[in-house]
Amino acid sequence: MHPTATTTTPPTPRPARRVLASGAVALVLAATLAGCTGGGAAAPTPSATVPTTVAPTASAAPTPSASPTPTALASAGVDFSSIDLTVPPPRPDALDAPPSKQAAAHVAEYFLLLLPYAAVTHDLDAFEKLAYADCRYCNQVITTLEEYEANDIVTDGGGIIVADVEVEERDAEFFTATITFTQAPSRETAPDGSVIDEGIGGRMSHEIDLLYDDGAWLVTSWVEAS
């Protein structure tokens, strides 16, 4: 189910940029970036703004009453062991807030953290609600994970730790969030135990465009930050 903006036309898509990696979670986060855009009218002129920064977070908090079930693979120098990717990231209050840089930062971060959760669990409900109908990247993610579910392909790893989020207000209802994060390695395994693909993970920065339309936040595009 794809919500569709009803009153505001999204801005011109950003150009596709370099593909970072392959693999299921890496595909979700990087390999489909070439199609990560929506369509629409010319983008508003960016206003001079001071970046909004969000404190570092992980892709899912461990369950307080029990030890988490880590799904991340080993990654030198970064500890993903406390991240349980079977637990959805907390829904931020910002989803119900009016448009602002702070709200856009939290919504963009939430969308990012939904991706490894969806890759591991194949639960796409929250992701679909945020995806703009014409976001080709979003649609590719949904199609890929639906195919994984149908073919019993299992994803391990791919957890995310967010280091920083900076937001540019491009007009009153359109924002670009630049997110810097570290992603754990990931692996896709077929029912027979064979490894289909692997992603190396690593530190990266991506840009997520967000539109606030008719009382709802929507993700219109996603590209690698320049």
Side-chain angles (χ1 to χ4, degrees):
M1 176 176 64
H2 304 277
T4 304
T6 58
T7 62
T8 305
T9 302
T12 299
R14 293 174 176 274
R17 296 177 187 153
R18 182 174 57 88
V19 171
L20 295 173
S22 60
V25 177
L27 169 80
V28 171
L29 295 176
T32 56
L33 290 178
C36 167
T37 56
T45 301
S47 57
T49 57
V50 178
T52 296
T53 301
V54 174
T57 59
S59 58
T63 304
S65 59
S67 298
T69 304
T71 57
L73 306 179
S75 180
V78 181
D79 183 10
F80 294 92
S81 63
S82 66
I83 300 174
D84 184 353
L85 292 178
T86 67
V87 177
R91 184 184 187 277
D93 293 339
L95 284 173
D96 303 313
S100 70
K101 287 172 39 176
Q102 187 71 19
H106 287 293
V107 172
E109 181 178 8
Y110 175 63
F111 185 72
L112 170 66
L113 300 182
L114 281 171
L115 297 183
Y117 163 74
V120 167
T121 66
H122 301 167
D123 177 3
L124 288 160
D125 289 349
F127 182 86
E128 288 183 300
K129 288 177 183 177
L130 273 175
Y132 183 74
D134 291 337
C135 176
R136 292 196 296 271
Y137 166 66
C138 304
N139 292 332
Q140 180 61 48
V141 168
I142 292 166
T143 298
T144 298
L145 295 182
E146 286 176 342
E147 291 175 353
Y148 285 1
E149 173 70 12
N151 292 285
D152 296 323
I153 295 173
V154 175
T155 297
D156 293 304
I160 289 172
I161 296 176
V162 173
D164 181 73
V165 184
E166 296 184 351
V167 176
E168 177 185 17
E169 183 178 4
R170 300 178 69 195
D171 71 12
E173 295 184 333
F174 185 71
F175 304 83
T176 296
T178 301
I179 306 183
T180 301
F181 61 96
T182 302
Q183 180 191 3
S186 60
R187 178 181 299 139
E188 287 69 63
T189 307
D192 63 3
S194 61
V195 175
I196 295 173
D197 210 340
E198 293 182 297
I200 62 173
R203 187 175 175 89
M204 59 197 81
S205 294
H206 287 184
E207 292 178 357
I208 294 177
D209 287 343
L210 302 105
L211 176 70
Y212 185 82
D213 180 49
D214 197 23
W217 286 96
L218 296 167
V219 172
T220 63
S221 76
W222 179 320
V223 295
E224 178 192 0
S226 56

